[in-house]
Amino acid sequence: MTDHDTPPQSDDKEMPIVEHLIELRTRLLRIIYAVAGVFVLLLPFRNRVYETFALPVLGSLLPGQSMLAYDGIDIFLTPVKVCLFLACLLTIPWILYQIWAFVAPGMYRHEKRLVRPILISSTLLFYTGVLFAYFIILPILFSFLAGIELKGVEYKPDITQYMSLSLTMFIAFGAAFEVPVATVICLMLGIVRPETLAKKRAYVILATFTIGMLLTPPDAISQTLLAVPMLLLFEAGLYIGKRLLAAREADNPPPPATRP
C-alpha cells in the first residue's frame, strides 16, 4: 500500500461530532489566549508602538506639519487598536499551527508533507508583504501626499484614518504576496496545468493591475508597486510548481501502456 492509499490516522466514525467541537473549542481558546497574552504585553508600550507604526507618515511631514485627532478619545483608542492588530500579526504562526493541528489527524501522509512547507512559506510571504508595505509603499505614498499644495488647505493626516489605511495596505500586500503559494497549490492539486496557466499570462497581468487599483489608493505609483511584485511572485510560483510537478512525475511515472 502506497502513501497515497494510506488512510488518515484517525477515523471520523470513531470520533463523535462532540469531540470535534471540543477539539475546535480548545484550538480557538489557545488562539485567543495567545493573542490576548501578546496584546497585554504590548499594551504598556502602546504609545511607542503607535509611534513606530506611524513612522511612514511622521517621516514624510514637512516642517510645521503634524498629525490630527478629531476626537480626543482617538488619542487613546488608536494606539490600543494598533497593539491589538500587532498582537494578531505576531501570533500568525501560532494561529496557523493550531489550524493545522486541528485538521492534521484527518489528512494523508503525502498531504501533510505538502501542507507543512506551504504553511511556513505562506507565513514568511505574508510578513514580507507587510514589511514591503511599511518600508516602501507607505513612505512613498505619504511623501507624495505631503508635497501636494492646495490653496487654503493645510495637510494634517488624521491618526484614525492613517491607521485604517495602513492596516488595509498591510493586509492587502500580505495577501498579495501569497500569490506563489496559491499558484503552487493550484498546480499540485491539478486544478490547472502549467502550460495552461502560462498561456493565460495576459489575463494574470490584467488581474494584478485590477487588484492593485482596488486595494491601493487611487494613484498609479501604489497600484504599480502592488501589481509588479504580484506578477513576479506569480512567475516564481509557476516556476516552483513546474519543478515540483516534474519531480513528482519522475518519482511516480505512469504505467506503460499494454497492448490489446
Side-chain angles (χ1 to χ4, degrees), residues 192-201:
V192 64
R193 292 292 302 172
E195 300 80 11
T196 304
L197 202 56
K199 292 179 181 178
K200 303 295 184 182
R201 187 174 281 108

Side-chain angles (χ1 to χ4, degrees), residues 218-258:
D219 65 279
I221 296 177
S222 300
Q223 295 170 11
T224 304
L225 288 176
L226 176 59
V228 171
M230 287 180 65
L231 286 174
L232 296 176
L233 291 169
F234 164 75
E235 295 294 340
L238 183 59
Y239 174 77
I240 295 172
K242 287 181 179 179
R243 297 291 299 270
L244 292 176
L245 282 177
R248 187 170 69 179
E249 292 173 357
D251 294 337
N252 301 285
T258 56

Side-chain angles (χ1 to χ4, degrees), residues 89-104:
L89 194 66
L90 294 176
T91 54
I92 283 179
W94 176 252
I95 294 172
L96 293 178
Y97 170 76
Q98 293 301 321
I99 295 173
W100 179 83
F102 177 72
V103 301

Side-chain angles (χ1 to χ4, degrees), residues 37-49 79-80 83:
V38 176
F39 173 69
V40 170
L41 291 176
L42 291 174
L43 203 55
F45 310 98
R46 58 187 179 274
N47 290 340
R48 184 174 298 179
V49 169
V80 173
C83 287

Side-chain angles (χ1 to χ4, degrees), residues 6-253:
T6 304
Q9 293 181 355
S10 65
D11 190 352
D12 289 344
K13 295 181 179 178
E14 297 178 358
M15 191 173 185
I17 186 64
V18 175
E19 293 188 20
H20 281 293
L21 294 176
I22 293 175
E23 176 70 11
L24 178 60
R25 184 192 65 177
T26 301
R27 299 295 176 185
L28 290 176
L29 286 176
R30 290 178 180 178
I31 291 173
I32 293 173
Y33 292 154
V35 173
V38 176
F39 173 69
V40 170
L41 291 176
L42 291 174
L43 203 55
F45 310 98
R46 58 187 179 274
N47 290 340
R48 184 174 298 179
V49 169
Y50 181 79
E51 291 171 3
T52 304
F53 173 78
L55 278 179
V57 65
L58 293 176
S60 65
L61 295 176
L62 299 177
Q65 293 180 340
S66 62
M67 298 187 72
L68 180 67
Y70 284 106
D71 192 348
I73 194 64
D74 290 339
I75 299 177
F76 170 75
L77 288 181
T78 301
V80 173
K81 293 177 182 178
V82 172
C83 287
L84 180 59
F85 173 78
L86 184 59
C88 295
L89 194 66
L90 294 176
T91 54
I92 283 179
W94 176 252
I95 294 172
L96 293 178
Y97 170 76
Q98 293 301 321
I99 295 173
W100 179 83
F102 177 72
V103 301
M107 300 176 66
Y108 294 98
R109 292 180 181 177
H110 70 280
E111 292 174 335
K112 291 182 180 181
R113 288 198 298 266
L114 182 63
V115 168
R116 289 176 181 176
I118 285 178
L119 289 179
I120 295 173
S121 59
S122 61
T123 302
L124 294 177
L125 285 170
F126 185 85
Y127 283 146
T128 303
V130 171
L131 294 175
F132 183 79
Y134 178 79
F135 286 106
I136 297 178
I137 302 300
L138 291 179
I140 292 176
L141 174 62
F142 286 104
S143 295
F144 170 75
L145 294 176
I148 297 177
E149 295 184 1
L150 191 60
K151 186 176 180 180
V153 178
E154 185 177 1
Y155 175 71
K156 287 189 175 183
D158 177 58
I159 62 173
T160 303
Q161 294 297 324
Y162 168 74
M163 181 194 69
S164 177
L165 174 62
S166 299
L167 297 187
T168 301
M169 296 288 282
F170 290 155
I171 295 173
F173 276 84
F177 272 59
E178 301 293 334
V179 167
V181 175
T183 304
V184 170
I185 291 175
C186 290
L187 294 175
M188 297 302 293
L189 294 180
I191 298 175
V192 64
R193 292 292 302 172
E195 300 80 11
T196 304
L197 202 56
K199 292 179 181 178
K200 303 295 184 182
R201 187 174 281 108
Y203 295 99
V204 174
I205 295 174
L206 177 61
T208 55
F209 278 92
T210 302
I211 293 173
M213 177 184 66
L214 295 174
L215 297 183
T216 60
D219 65 279
I221 296 177
S222 300
Q223 295 170 11
T224 304
L225 288 176
L226 176 59
V228 171
M230 287 180 65
L231 286 174
L232 296 176
L233 291 169
F234 164 75
E235 295 294 340
L238 183 59
Y239 174 77
I240 295 172
K242 287 181 179 179
R243 297 291 299 270
L244 292 176
L245 282 177
R248 187 170 69 179
E249 292 173 357
D251 294 337
N252 301 285

